[in-house]
Amino acid sequence: MDAGFCSGGVVIDLLRLGFFGMRTRPIRAVLSALGIAIGIAAVVAVVGIPASSAAALQDKMSRLGTNLLTAAPGQDFSGQDAKLPETAVPMAKRIGAVSAASATGKLSASVRKNDLVPSSDTLGLQVQAAEQDLLKVLNAEVRAGRWLSPGEKSVVLGGTAAARLGVDEPGVQLWLDGQWFTVVGILGPLPLSPEIDRSALIGWEAAKEAFGFEGNANTVYVRTSPDQVENVRRLLGPTLNPEKANEVKVSKPSEALEAQQLAESSYNALFLGLGGVALLVGGVGVANTMVISVLERRREIGLRRALGATRRQIRWQFLTESVLLSGLGGLVGVIVGIAVTAGYSISQRWPAALPWPALLGGVGSAVLIGAIAGVYPAVRAARQSPTEALA
């Protein structure tokens, strides 16, 4: 390409010719660019939505903390359900890196809206005894009302439990296996402790008096120093039950959220593949449009050649038109992808994360596709002689 052809005036002329070719056949240009736009929008959304989900997860994890461990009874060598000792919580607190520990104990009681509801209708809820400092250890919030007070015959509902029972505010009476308990509070969501969300919680001592609870914890919740999580994880089983450490199951609840995020991101490859197919289809559409444009504009090409246009100028005219067509489609696709990502993130109450490499790469890949798709039509147009074109 000579220096004169690179001048600003020539580039402007090429852009004008490119836009003129698109304006003369607007419907065809729009349909061709639409394939590119759909592909780019799919790619941007597939990258942006998981990024927004990951950002929301990181925000949630930073609020809840990744330093929460849980210990629960497993099974003994005979396959029978094991029990945690009554001293489980005090023993957990003796570990140096443990900052706080609390527990819940599962009861055989069921919770119902009133005494007329059949006992078999459990709604998938459970009744648990809760120690007084459970809220602090879980970083939980009471969405309505207050937390349990020692010695009172009251109940605090998890968010899911309250929704299933149709309880919106404290003061309601609930039927717990032949006894009435007053709802004094409703908890906010607990992503790291979904079992609490589905529970009706009563005080530790109240559970002993009302249901003969023996005091064995079903789940021990432990907060540790963030840099000592793995060390505490190894020590927790032997510490809670020194004689039968194998009967203690220790887990890190935040890993469940991370696994959920990983499972959701496993679909990304599929959607990226679909976006790639859409881009390929769009590229073929652009190439097809440009080939047809060459056939329909033979007289224009012949006239330009007769007036002195070189093969190189004809070639660059059609290549520019193809690149502009794909570039505009890519720009529209990026805008649509941003809108889809932002809309979905808002609906899920996530922070909208828009990776700039994906946005810039979307437009760049569209231009690249346009350049590739326009090579053959441009070369074909340049090969036509004035006499053939005007014949």
Side-chain angles (χ1 to χ4, degrees):
M1 189 184 303
D2 55 62
F5 190 73
C6 294
S7 65
V10 174
V11 173
I12 292 174
D13 287 341
L14 281 174
L15 292 175
R16 286 175 178 171
L17 284 172
F19 279 115
F20 175 77
M22 293 166 56
R23 290 198 306 270
T24 55
R25 295 163 183 83
I27 296 178
R28 182 183 298 169
V30 169
L31 292 177
S32 299
L34 185 60
I36 298 291
I38 291 174
I40 295 297
V43 171
V44 171
V46 166
V47 174
I49 290 175
S52 300
S53 175
L57 177 62
Q58 291 301 321
D59 289 347
K60 185 185 297 183
M61 298 284 279
S62 63
R63 292 195 305 270
L64 298 174
T66 58
N67 60 334
L68 177 67
L69 295 173
T70 63
Q75 294 182 328
D76 57 25
F77 288 113
S78 63
Q80 301 296 317
D81 291 336
K83 285 186 177 182
L84 292 178
E86 293 185 40
T87 58
V89 173
M91 292 295 287
K93 292 179 178 179
R94 295 179 62 181
I95 301 175
V98 171
S99 57
S102 190
T104 58
K106 189 174 180 179
L107 305 176
S108 59
S110 61
V111 56
R112 288 170 284 166
K113 190 69 177 289
N114 53 57
D115 54 348
L116 300 178
V117 178
S119 58
S120 59
D121 191 5
T122 63
L123 299 176
L125 307 178
Q126 58 185 352
V127 180
Q128 296 199 79
E131 289 198 333
Q132 199 63 33
D133 55 355
L134 181 65
L135 278 186
K136 175 185 175 183
V137 177
L138 295 181
N139 287 346
E141 295 182 356
V142 180
R143 174 166 55 87
R146 59 175 176 81
W147 181 238
L148 300 165
S149 295
E152 67 177 359
K153 200 172 182 179
S154 59
V155 60
V156 169
L157 298 176
T160 301
R164 292 182 183 177
L165 290 167
V167 177
D168 298 324
E169 56 186 17
V172 177
Q173 293 275 310
L174 294 179
W175 186 254
L176 274 68
D177 274 13
Q179 302 181 57
W180 291 103
F181 279 72
T182 303
V183 176
V184 295
I186 299 173
L187 299 180
L190 289 168
L192 293 184
S193 307
E195 68 281 359
I196 301 296
D197 275 335
R198 300 188 299 269
S199 295
L201 304 172
I202 64 176
W204 203 264
E205 296 303 322
K208 291 181 178 180
E209 295 177 7
F211 302 108
F213 176 54
E214 295 179 356
N216 297 96
N218 184 68
T219 305
V220 176
Y221 300 91
V222 174
R223 286 284 179 185
T224 75
S225 302
D227 58 342
Q228 294 294 320
V229 171
E230 293 305 319
N231 290 333
V232 174
R233 192 175 190 172
R234 288 193 295 269
L235 293 172
L236 201 53
T239 301
L240 298 190
N241 197 345
E243 297 180 358
K244 301 176 181 178
N246 61 292
E247 297 181 2
V248 181
K249 297 188 300 183
V250 180
S251 62
K252 186 180 177 184
S254 59
E255 289 179 345
L257 288 181
E258 293 168 354
Q260 179 183 358
Q261 175 68 21
L262 180 62
E264 292 174 353
S265 64
S266 66
Y267 291 98
N268 291 355
L270 172 62
F271 290 120
L272 283 173
L274 293 175
V277 170
L279 284 177
L280 177 61
V281 172
V284 171
V286 170
N288 181 62
T289 297
M290 297 310 301
V291 169
I292 295 175
S293 179
V294 170
L295 296 176
E296 291 180 345
R297 296 161 67 184
R298 291 179 61 191
R299 290 187 176 276
E300 175 192 334
I301 295 169
L303 181 59
R304 292 202 66 217
R305 290 297 310 279
L307 293 174
T310 65
R311 291 179 182 271
R312 177 175 293 175
Q313 290 171 336
I314 296 296
R315 185 166 57 245
W316 275 98
Q317 174 189 346
F318 281 86
L319 189 60
T320 300
E321 186 174 328
S322 177
V323 170
L324 285 174
L325 192 62
S326 298
L328 289 176
L331 182 61
V332 172
V334 167
I335 294 173
V336 172
I338 291 174
V340 170
T341 300
Y344 188 79
S345 299
I346 291 172
S347 69
Q348 299 296 316
R349 297 183 180 179
W350 294 344
L354 299 170
W356 286 106
L359 304 183
L360 298 177
V363 177
S365 61
V367 171
L368 179 61
I369 289 171
I372 294 173
V375 168
Y376 172 71
V379 171
R380 181 168 178 171
R383 284 178 178 173
Q384 295 187 26
S385 65
T387 55
E388 292 176 349
L390 293 172

